[in-house]
Structure formats: structure tokens, C-alpha cells
């Protein structure tokens, strides 16, 4: 004998998306694909910071000199790390996940196995976070070689890049879940990511902005929080906003993690 | 003890908005059976398969697989299912062997065991030579065979094949049939959908014909042919003479373009009378087929 509920009686269990440890199998699938072509994959995180350091740090830095008593190249180094955390995870969980979901039907194949849709999306998010960790760590090595970040405090960036990566993965996955086609992912990419890249205390301090914008940036921009934390780590100087930004990221990461799974479930389970 | 059905559905329904894709169907499938779902496009076959596969929740009705409710036990059920989906969804980032090994991992099969299984299955579907080839380099028939191998990676107790030979050329289709026959002989329970009637006739122990979300008939292929088409069918060239002749004889017939089909329990007599009295063109007597059943039940209007 077995016990069965009729569909109408299915309780609130359905509403809370709970992934299981099987998520690692999805993570592993993506990792296998990544490491098949790792040389190509490692090029951008190594070359990009070199270009930015040369052009902005030393080029523009000639004119800027110092910000808050910090050499400009030291000032932007943590911003480069934070931007790498954002880009590597956000774009993985938008365009790449969309391709897997919509064109390759990878998720459909996975949910025909004991994996649930919650496992699949959680695995994707964890992989996005891992990519952030991999890219940020590679970039960290370059920045250490240039001698523009403090040690050993900068090594804390490595675990932090996973957390921040998980946040941007979750945000990206929400857009993926509601995007009708791959082209409409350009909206969050250009209207959300690009402005955030510029107005998060990355290349100039937020304090030069009008107070309203300053407050808004600190209240709503995830990258602004990541920059504050990364900068505290690479300069070995605790920002007064460090605790605030950490809490902000912890809460937002949890929210977007479950929200993105919920939205994906709504899209894919029909 | 009576055998428990592998799948049991009662008044199963699935709505997409106002559309009743599956409109109250009931069936039960016994261990070791090859059970077919036939029907024109849009009949609701794929929707039914997806409910059995625990990937699409039903709207109403009862559905159990291995005696377990699909809503409450998806993980346990899926552990023992092998699925060949209608749309090929192989992992295009991987080679053939990597596809199988990765898929095996989703079932918790890993390491040496996964490699051994993958190798054996590639051999079974005759793709050993393509072991390290990327998916995009495979022909359509090879892809379908690789999907079959993938469906077998967890040694399933139930195989669900949604149009396993769709889009294949005759050679590839025959090879697929051969593999399915071997699985059938080994005692597997297989559910398959198809709109190739020859395929259903060859493979299925029992089948249903579906249309517009409903089951029209169920039975063995032979019984269905006997009941709904007659063992033999007379076909004769269409002409006004022939039609008036048949009307005089009082037999059931249908006109399809330039062919008239006569359904009668005495086909040879009908043919003889036609030849001797009606001055017909060509007259054939042939065995009734599932195709006749299908067309007479679902009509000849084009579906897409
Ligand atoms: N996800 C969906 N949303 C809305 N309608 C759907 C969906 N899937 C299938 N349908 C509709 O349900 C009906 C049955 O489809 P399907 O089960 O795929 O038929 P078959 O496999 O027999 O060709 C069709 O009218 C189809 O358009
Ligand atoms: Mg179908």
C-alpha cells in the first residue's frame, strides 16, 4: 500500500524550493565542460586586469594621482576584482544558462533523471559562484605580481569571490527565468550591469556623487557592496561599511538563490 | 498473487489553459509488456509520457508508476525510468562516451562502473567507433541510438520512448527496431509513442489509439484490425459505375480520392461480383492493417 495525496491537496511543500546535495552533479557537468577548454577560459581573467591596470591605473593614474591618500592603481585594483566576480558569474547564469536551458535542452535531460529542477538550478548557481572564484583567483595572482594589493589580507578575496559570485549568479538566473528569448538578456546586461560597473565606487569614489545618488548606490547596488568589501581586503583597511555590506550580500544572496529557483521552476514545470 | 501494473492511470487529465491536452484517459500497463500510444500530431501522446516521467504535473486524475504516485515520489520513480524524449536533448558539449558517463552520474553511477556501462551500451547501439566524437558530428539515426543507450544507463525497469524513430531513414529505423526487439525479448517493459503504424504493429503487444486527448480504442494490433478494419479489405479504382454497383450490393465502403475501399466479411465474394458485373478498373484484395484502423478512427484530415 502507499499513501497518496490528490493534486489539489499538495501542500505548501511545493512552494519552498529545496535543492539537495545532488546539485553537485550539475556543478560537475559544467566544471567538466569548462576544464575541457581551460586554456581559452583562463585567458580573459589574466589579460583583462593587465590592460586595465596599464590603461587606467598607470595611464589615467598619472593625472589622478591619489584618492583618499591611496595611489590610483591601488584604488582600482579591488574594483577590478569585484567586477570580475560580477561578470564571471552573472554572464554564466544568464547567456550560458539560457543556452543550456533553451537551446541545448540540457535541463530537460537532467530532470528526466532523479535530479529535480531545484537540484539543477542550484547546481548552475553554485557553478556560477565557482567561476567567479576561479576567475577572481587568477586575477588576484596578476595583481599580486604587480604589487598593487596587500598580503595576506587580500587572500580573503578568494572565499569572498564565491559568495559574491553566488549573489550575481542568483540575480542573473532570475533574469534568465523571465527572459522570453536570449536577445532580451541584453536589457539587464546593458541597463543594469554596465551602469553598475561605473557607479559602484569602482573607478571613482561614491562621495563625489550627489548625496541622493550616493545613498541610492549604497542601498541598492550589489556591486557597490562587493567593491567595499574587496577594497577593505586588498588595502587591509576596514571600511566603516564593511559589516553593512557583508550583511547586505548575505541576505540578498539567500533571497536571490531561492527566488531564482522558484522562477525557474515556474518557467520549466508546465 | 495478481501481478501489479507497472503504470496505472485513471481518468488522467492535463489542461494547458483552456486546451484539454489529455482529456480523461485510463490505462494500465503490465510488467514485460510493450505498450504503444498511437495518434495524430497533437493527440496528447507526449503530454501523457511527460506525466509518466514525473516532469509535467497532471491536472487531475490518478497516475501511479511502480505503484507510487507521480507527484509524491518523483525521485524514486525516475531512478528506475529510461527515457527517450521526442526532442533529442543530448549534451552537445560532450562526446558520445562523455554523454553517457555524465548522464550515469545523474543516477549516482560513477567511476569504473559508469565507464564500463557506457562502453557496453555504445557497443549495444553500434556506436563504439563514435566513442569520442562530438554530438554535432552524428547523423540523426546515430543520435537516436545514443539517446537509447543513454536511457539504458541506469538499467531501468521501465523504458519510455517518445517517437523513437522520428525522422529516421528506413535503415536506421530497422536498426532501432532490432534494438527494441532485443530489449523486449529480455523482458523489459516498454511504453512507446509513434505515428508510424508499421512500427506499432511490429513492436506492440497492446496499444491505444488517441485523438484530441482521448483514447479511442485499446487492444492488441490483431484484434484492433479485426474489429475496426476487417481482416481483408477490397480496393477498387473509383468510377461512378463501381459506386452504384457497391450501393446495390449494400456493402460498407469509403471513397478516398481515386480509390474505393470496401469493408466486408466476405471480401473475395465482393471482389468476384465486382469483376463479373461492374466493369471495374483494378481490384485488390489485401490484408487489413493498423493503418486502416487508424485512418478510419481518426479521419483523413491533415494534422499538424
Ligand atoms: N507546454 C505546452 N503549453 C501549451 N500547450 C501545449 C504544451 N505542450 C503541448 N501542448 C498542446 O497539447 C496538445 C497535445 O500535445 P502533445 O502531447 O505534444 O501531442 P502529441 O505528442 O500526441 O503530438 C497539443 O495541442 C499541443 O499544442
Ligand atoms: Mg509528441
Amino acid at each position: 500500500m502507499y499513501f497518496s495525496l490528490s493534486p489539489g491537496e499538495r501542500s505548501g511543500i511545493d512552494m519552498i524550493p529545496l535543492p539537495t546535495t545532488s546539485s553537485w552533479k550539475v556543478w560537475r557537468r559544467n566544471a567538466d565542460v569548462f576544464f575541457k577548454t581551460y586554456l581559452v577560459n583562463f585567458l580573459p581573467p589574466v589579460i583583462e586586469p593587465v590592460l586595465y591596470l596599464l590603461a587606467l591605473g598607470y595611464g589615467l593614474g598619472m593625472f589622478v594621482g591619489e584618492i583618499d591618500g591611496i595611489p590610483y592603481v591601488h584604488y582600482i585594483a579591488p574594483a577590478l576584482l569585484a567586477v570580475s566576480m560580477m561578470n564571471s558569474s552573472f554572464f554564466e547564469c544568464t547567456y550560458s544558462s539560457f543556452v543550456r536551458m533553451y537551446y541545448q535542452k540540457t535541463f530537460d535531460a537532467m530532470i528526466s533523471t532523479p535530479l529535480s529542477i531545484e537540484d539543477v538550478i542550484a547546481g548552475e548557481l553554485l557553478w556560477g559562484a565557482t567561476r567567479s572564484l576561479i576567475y577572481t583567483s587568477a586575477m588576484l595572482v596578476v595583481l599580486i605580481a604587480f604589487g598593487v594589493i596587500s598580503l595576506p589580507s587580500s587572500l580573503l578575496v578568494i572565499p569572498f569571490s564565491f559568495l559574491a559570485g553566488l549573489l550575481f549568479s542568483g540575480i542573473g538566473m532570475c533574469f534568465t527565468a523571465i527572459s522570453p528569448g536570449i536577445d532580451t538578456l541584453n536589457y539587464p546586461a546593458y541597463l543594469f550591469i554596465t551602469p553598475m560597473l561605473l557607479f559602484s565606487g569602482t573607478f571613482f569614489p561614491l562621495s563625489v556623487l550627489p548625496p541622493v545618488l550616493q545613498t541610492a548606490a549604497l542601498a541598492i547596488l550589489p556591486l557597490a557592496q562587493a567593491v567595499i568589501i574587496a577594497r577593505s581586503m586588498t588595502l587591509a583597511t576596514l571600511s566603516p561599511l564593511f559589516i553593512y555590506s557583508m550583511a547586505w550580500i548575505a541576505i540578498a544572496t539567500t533571497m536571490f538563490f531561492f527566488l531564482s529557483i522558484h522562477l525557474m521552476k515556474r518557467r520549466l514545470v508546465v | 498473487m495478481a501481478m501489479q501494473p507497472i503504470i496505472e492511470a485513471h481518468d488522467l487529465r492535463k489542461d494547458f489553459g483552456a486546451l484539454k491536452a489529455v482529456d480523461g484517459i485510463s490505462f494500465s500497463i503490465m510488467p514485460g509488456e510493450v505498450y504503444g500510444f498511437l495518434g495524430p500530431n497533437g493527440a496528447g501522446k507526449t503530454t501523457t509520457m511527460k506525466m509518466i516521467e514525473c516532469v509535467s504535473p497532471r491536472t487531475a486524475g490518478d497516475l501511479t508508476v511502480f505503484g507510487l504516485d507521480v507527484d509524491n515520489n518523483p525521485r524514486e520513480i525516475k531512478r528506475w525510468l529510461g527515457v527517450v524524449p521526442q526532442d533529442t536533448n543530448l549534451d552537445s558539449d560532450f562526446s558520445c562516451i562523455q554523454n553517457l558517463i555524465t548522464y550515469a552520474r545523474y543516477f549516482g553511477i560513477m567511476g569504473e562502473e559508469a565507464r564500463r556501462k557506457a562502453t557496453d551500451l555504445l557497443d549495444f547501439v553500434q556506436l563504439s567507433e563514435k566513442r569520442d566524437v562530438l554530438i554535432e558530428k552524428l547523423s540523426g539515426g546515430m543520435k537516436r541510438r545514443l539517446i537509447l543507450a543513454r536511457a539504458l544507463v541506469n538499467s531501468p525497469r521501465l523504458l519510455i520512448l517518445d517517437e523513437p524513430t522520428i525522422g529516421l531513414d528506413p535503415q536506421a529505423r530497422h536498426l532501432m527496431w532490432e534494438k527494441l526487439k532485443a530489449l523486449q525479448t529480455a523482458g523489459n517493459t516498454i511504453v512507446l509513442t509513434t505515428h508510424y503504424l508499421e512500427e506499432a504493429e511490429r513492436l506492440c503487444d497492446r496499444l491505444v489509439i488517441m485523438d484530441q486527448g482521448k483514447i479511442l480504442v485499446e487492444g492488441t494490433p490483431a484484434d484492433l484490425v479485426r474489429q475496426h478494419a476487417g481482416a481483408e479489405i477490397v480496393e477498387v479504382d473509383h468510377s461512378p459505375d463501381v459506386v452504384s454497383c457497391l450501393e446495390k450490393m449494400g456493402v460498407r465502403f469509403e471513397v478516398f480520392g481515386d480509390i474505393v475501399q470496401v469493408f466486408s466479411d466476405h471480401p473475395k465474394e465482393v471482389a468476384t461480383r465486382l469483376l463479373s458485373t461492374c466493369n471495374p478498373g483494378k481490384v485488390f484484395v489485401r490484408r487489413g492493417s493498423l493503418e486502416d484502423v487508424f485512418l478510419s478512427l481518426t479521419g483523413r484530415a491533415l494534422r499538424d
Side-chain angles (χ1 to χ4, degrees):
Chain A
M1 282 307 287
Y2 53 89
F3 177 69
S4 102
L5 291 167
S6 79
E9 290 172 272
R10 269 179 297 148
S11 54
I13 300 169
D14 262 15
M15 297 306 297
I16 312 163
L18 284 180
T20 69
T21 47
S22 286
S23 304
W24 79 269
K25 296 167 185 167
V26 178
W27 178 94
R28 174 70 193 274
R29 180 244 168 243
N30 289 340
D32 285 351
V33 176
F34 179 86
F35 285 108
K36 265 190 0 173
T37 51
Y38 69 95
L39 272 182
V40 187
N41 289 330
F42 270 112
L43 228 47
V46 175
I47 291 183
E48 222 180 57
V50 176
L51 295 178
Y52 275 98
L53 278 183
L54 293 177
L56 291 180
Y58 298 106
L60 191 61
M62 281 283 287
F63 301 95
V64 178
E66 293 187 343
I67 289 179
D68 301 337
I70 303 154
Y72 190 62
V73 60
H74 291 237
Y75 183 84
I76 65 162
L80 296 181
L81 290 167
V83 168
S84 130
M85 295 173 204
M86 172 174 81
N87 284 346
S88 53
S89 54
F90 183 85
F91 288 101
E92 178 68 17
C93 287
T94 47
Y95 294 97
S96 301
S97 289
F98 196 92
V99 167
R100 286 193 282 273
M101 169 184 78
Y102 190 87
Y103 295 101
Q104 302 188 352
K105 307 278 180 213
T106 315
F107 299 175
D108 288 351
M110 287 172 170
I111 59 172
S112 298
T113 74
L115 298 175
S116 65
I117 189 70
E118 289 90 340
D119 296 337
V120 173
I121 305 307
E124 291 276 310
L125 296 173
L126 290 171
W127 170 246
T130 307
R131 251 177 76 110
S132 162
L133 183 135
I134 294 171
Y135 279 9
T136 308
S137 304
M139 189 182 267
L140 201 65
V141 173
V142 177
L143 296 180
I144 290 172
F146 273 83
V148 294
I149 57 179
S150 310
L151 285 172
S153 62
S154 292
L155 295 180
L156 288 172
V157 165
I158 296 172
F160 175 65
S161 65
F162 188 85
L163 177 65
L166 197 56
L167 169 62
F168 289 111
S169 294
I171 296 172
M173 194 60 85
C174 287
F175 285 117
T176 302
I178 58 174
S179 195
I182 198 159
D183 293 339
T184 39
L185 284 174
N186 292 342
Y187 290 118
Y190 289 111
L191 300 180
F192 174 61
I193 295 295
T194 305
M196 190 155 60
L197 177 71
L198 297 171
F199 295 99
S200 292
T202 38
F203 304 111
F204 60 88
L206 285 176
S207 55
V208 305
L209 294 174
V212 184
L213 286 185
Q214 258 184 66
T215 315
L218 281 176
I220 61 171
L221 294 184
L223 183 62
Q225 325 301 332
V227 169
I228 287 169
I229 293 168
R231 191 165 282 143
S232 294
M233 290 167 173
T234 62
L235 296 177
T237 320
L238 209 57
S239 154
L241 288 170
F242 186 86
I243 303 279
Y244 162 79
S245 294
M246 255 320 190
W248 196 104
I249 287 184
I251 293 167
T253 303
T254 313
M255 266 176 38
F256 282 109
F257 185 84
F258 289 108
L259 179 64
S260 67
I261 293 179
H262 174 78
L263 291 176
M264 268 298 190
K265 221 177 139 175
R266 214 180 55 179
R267 175 174 190 143
L268 293 176
V269 179
V270 286
Chain B
M1 198 183 85
M3 255 199 301
Q4 251 216 325
I6 295 273
I7 307 178
E8 195 155 30
H10 183 253
D11 197 24
L12 183 61
R13 290 166 191 279
K14 177 79 189 183
D15 298 347
F16 293 110
L19 175 79
K20 294 182 187 312
V22 174
D23 192 7
I25 62 173
S26 303
F27 54 89
S28 67
I29 300 172
M30 303 307 288
E33 257 191 318
V34 177
Y35 197 96
F37 284 81
L38 268 70
N41 284 334
K45 306 180 296 291
T46 296
T47 307
T48 305
M49 295 309 112
K50 286 188 171 171
M51 288 191 281
I52 298 172
E53 291 158 14
C54 309
V55 299
S56 179
R58 68 192 161 197
T59 304
D62 296 329
L63 178 59
T64 61
V65 181
F66 311 130
L68 301 168
D69 184 88
V70 286
D71 279 336
N72 299 327
N73 308 277
R75 239 181 253 273
E76 293 82 341
I77 294 171
K78 289 193 289 179
R79 166 70 190 82
W80 296 109
L81 286 188
V83 174
V84 171
Q86 178 176 324
D87 301 318
T88 298
N89 59 14
L90 290 162
D91 201 323
S92 47
D93 286 321
F94 287 129
S95 68
C96 293
I97 187 103
Q98 285 171 321
N99 256 278
L100 298 184
I101 289 175
T102 305
Y103 205 73
R105 190 185 298 123
Y106 301 151
F107 288 92
I109 303 163
M110 281 169 279
E112 196 42 52
E113 191 191 356
R115 239 185 313 280
R116 186 176 44 75
K117 276 208 145 146
T119 312
D120 290 352
L121 285 169
L122 282 182
D123 194 40
F124 174 68
V125 297
Q126 303 181 15
L127 284 174
S128 296
E129 276 162 29
K130 302 288 175 183
R131 192 178 181 279
D132 298 311
V133 170
L134 281 178
I135 300 306
E136 65 195 57
K137 301 272 193 295
L138 299 180
S139 71
M142 290 174 183
K143 284 184 190 160
R144 287 314 266 174
R145 262 145 58 208
L146 185 59
I147 290 207
L148 176 65
R150 194 183 70 173
L152 295 170
V153 87
N154 57 324
S155 314
R157 289 164 54 193
L158 169 63
L159 263 176
I160 299 172
L161 314 166
D162 198 355
E163 315 238 5
T165 59
I166 192 165
L168 301 191
D169 62 30
Q171 285 82 359
R173 187 174 308 158
H174 276 269
L175 183 53
M176 184 62 104
W177 287 343
E178 197 183 297
K179 297 302 158 195
L180 295 181
K181 274 279 178 203
L183 290 166
Q184 180 179 16
T185 310
N188 287 283
T189 311
I190 300 176
V191 177
L192 67 91
T193 79
T194 182
H195 48 224
Y196 296 116
L197 297 145
E198 189 195 348
E199 180 163 296
E201 215 153 12
R202 269 167 191 259
L203 296 173
C204 297
D205 299 317
R206 278 197 301 152
L207 57 88
V208 294
I209 297 180
M210 279 184 85
D211 197 14
Q212 299 184 343
K214 291 196 161 73
I215 290 181
L216 303 178
V217 287
E218 187 205 44
T220 67
D223 283 347
L224 289 177
V225 171
R226 214 172 15 251
Q227 286 162 20
H228 298 276
E232 285 175 309
I233 288 175
V234 182
E235 284 186 352
V236 55
D237 287 350
H238 182 206
S239 71
D241 283 355
V242 164
V243 169
S244 64
C245 233
L246 288 169
E247 276 165 353
K248 266 188 228 130
M249 278 189 235
V251 292
R252 187 163 72 87
F253 66 93
E254 268 181 70
V255 180
F256 301 120
D258 49 9
I259 295 273
V260 182
Q261 285 190 351
V262 189
F263 307 98
S264 160
D265 296 336
H266 313 288
K268 298 224 166 61
E269 278 172 37
V270 171
T272 316
R273 272 180 71 185
L274 274 170
L275 283 168
S276 57
T277 61
C278 309
N279 186 28
K282 288 195 266 333
V283 178
F284 290 106
V285 181
R286 60 169 179 80
R287 297 174 59 81
S289 71
L290 212 46
E291 186 148 345
D292 301 311
V293 181
F294 187 85
L295 290 175
S296 80
L297 288 173
T298 61
R300 292 195 172 233
L302 199 60
R303 313 292 176 89
D304 44 28

